[in-house]
Every structure is written in structure tokens, then in C-alpha cells.
Amino acid sequence: MTVPESKRQHLRSLLHDCGSVVVGYSGGVDSVFLARIAVEVLGRENVLAVTGKSDSIATWMEDTAREVAEQFGIPWMELETREMDDPRYAANPSNRCYFCKSELWGRLSALARERGYGAVLDGANADDVGDHRPGAAAATENEVRSPLLQAGLTKAEIRAWSQELGLPTWDQPAAPCLASRIPYGLSVTPERLRQIERAEIALRAMGFRDFRVRHHGDVARLEVHPDELHRVAPRRSAILRAVGAAGFGRVLIDLQGYRRGALNEGLATPQLVQLGAAR
């Protein structure tokens, strides 16, 4: 895929107009790309990539954020966020992300003011328009800018440009926070987040790439990308052991497979097949 030169120039112009920036830097495809381009346009002295440190962020994402920043000379720091202390977040309503992002963007905006940066940026892109994104309201309230979205860059274009730049995240699967694996209404707790992460680390070690472990109390519901579903049955015993070791009693496989936005399907009933008891 070729990224139109008009979009490239538009993004560079938007960043140049900011002067200096704090980038909300999760270690995902979009934020890594944005931080890298910001350094190119504004210089290292005018960019600070900040990763929110939280129980809801997978440790491998933190590692990716740090390693890529070191490799590409992106000024970087971690900043502890405390959304777990907010009972509105922990209750896990459908607008849970609003409370999380209010905490994150509030802290990053305060940091930007303290250190004299001109703007706070997020990695929202053109494909995010129309998706259920309550966190976007928190970004607006904190005057966070979305230059990738403003430039009209799609996820595919960001991946293509990232590959040109040699960024190792260019083909990285989407990796939202661990809390997104917990159905609305089931409270978010550090213990549940750790269960999810342990199970996902084990599945990743088995070679699964694009998947989610959804937390339903004693039950883990696995969403595996349709292209990888055929790999589940031969690994049934290993999956049951691994997910059981994470603290789940039963494992279900969602035959619809992993798809973006599954958490928000609401009234839809997923097709499930029980793999068996996990312990």
C-alpha cells in the first residue's frame, strides 16, 4: 500500500503546528508510529512519549513501548495511573473507558503544562470514527489532539508507513487494555486482570497471534482469529491446562472467532463450544 503524499504532508504540518508534544504512548501500532514521526518532525527535545502504567496494561505492551523507544531514540517515561481507585471504573459500565481515559489524559495534560509542552496527542486514526469510543469524550475534554485522525490516515496506511520506517510494531495485532476482556457489569479487579494476562501469555507462547481471552467469572471464553481456529483442537489439552493454571474452571471457544468490537455486541449471542473443564 502506498500512503498518499498529501496525507504525509498533512500529518507533518499538524505536528509542526504543535511545536512540542506529549504523546500518549501505549506501545501499540498507532502511538509508536505517531511518536516516531513526531521526533522526525519536531526533534527529540520537543517530544515526550508517556506510557500509563496500570494493572490493565499487559506487561508485554509495556516492554514493547520501552524497547521501541530505546531503539528509535524516542524520549520516553512511564506515569502511574490510578483508574482502579475510581469505583466508577471498577464497576465496569459500558462507558468504563471514559473514566480510564479521564485519568490518563488528565495526568498527561498536567504533565504537559508543568513541562511546557504545546499539546497532548493520542493515536486515534480514521478507522476509529463511528466505533464505540467513550474515551474519546475524555480526550476532547482534556483538549487532546488526534493528528492521525485529522490527517485521514487509516490503520492500513499507518501500518504501511510504519513498515517503511522499520518499526517492529507495523504488523502487531491490536492490543487494547486487559479490562476490555471483561464483559460490562462484571467488576474490574487486579485479580481478574492478572488471570486474563496469564492465560493470554500462555496462548501467545503456543503461537496464537490474534485472539482474546474473555473473562466470564469461572469461565474463559476464547476468541481466536478465524484463520487460526483450526489450530485450537490439536492444542486442546495444552489450552485447558494453561487457562486452568490462570484460575479458570471452564474454557469455551467462540466459533465466530475474534473480531473487533465483540465486547460491544450487547444483545448478540455468541456461538460457543465447550473445550472442557480446565482443571
Side-chain angles (χ1 to χ4, degrees), residues 178-227:
L178 296 172
S180 68
R181 279 70 151 170
I182 302 177
Y184 298 132
L186 182 62
S187 61
V188 178
T189 67
E191 293 75 22
R192 285 175 175 150
L193 297 173
R194 284 194 290 270
Q195 278 184 277
I196 293 164
E197 181 166 26
R198 286 180 62 191
E200 292 196 349
I201 287 173
L203 289 175
R204 191 168 289 108
M206 293 180 203
F208 289 99
R209 174 177 166 79
D210 214 355
F211 66 93
R212 296 287 184 271
V213 175
R214 306 287 185 188
H215 198 304
H216 295 269
D218 189 52
V219 176
R221 175 166 63 89
L222 307 188
E223 289 180 11
V224 178
H225 192 281
D227 291 344

Side-chain angles (χ1 to χ4, degrees), residues 148-165:
L148 304 182
L149 174 58
Q150 289 179 273
L153 286 161
T154 66
K155 191 77 165 191
E157 289 170 333
I158 292 166
R159 290 187 183 278
W161 196 348
S162 295
Q163 187 177 20
E164 288 179 27
L165 295 170

Side-chain angles (χ1 to χ4, degrees), residues 213-279:
V213 175
R214 306 287 185 188
H215 198 304
H216 295 269
D218 189 52
V219 176
R221 175 166 63 89
L222 307 188
E223 289 180 11
V224 178
H225 192 281
D227 291 344
E228 296 185 275
L229 274 172
H230 70 281
R231 302 180 58 235
V232 172
R235 293 164 177 78
R236 176 178 177 274
S237 295
I239 291 172
L240 290 174
R241 285 194 301 272
V243 178
F248 294 98
R250 288 193 301 148
V251 184
L252 305 181
I253 180 73
D254 188 333
L255 293 181
Q256 288 179 278
Y258 168 67
R259 62 275 184 200
R260 182 178 178 181
L263 181 66
N264 301 317
E265 289 173 352
L267 298 178
T269 302
Q271 304 173 48
L272 304 175
V273 171
Q274 184 168 337
L275 283 184
R279 59 174 184 266

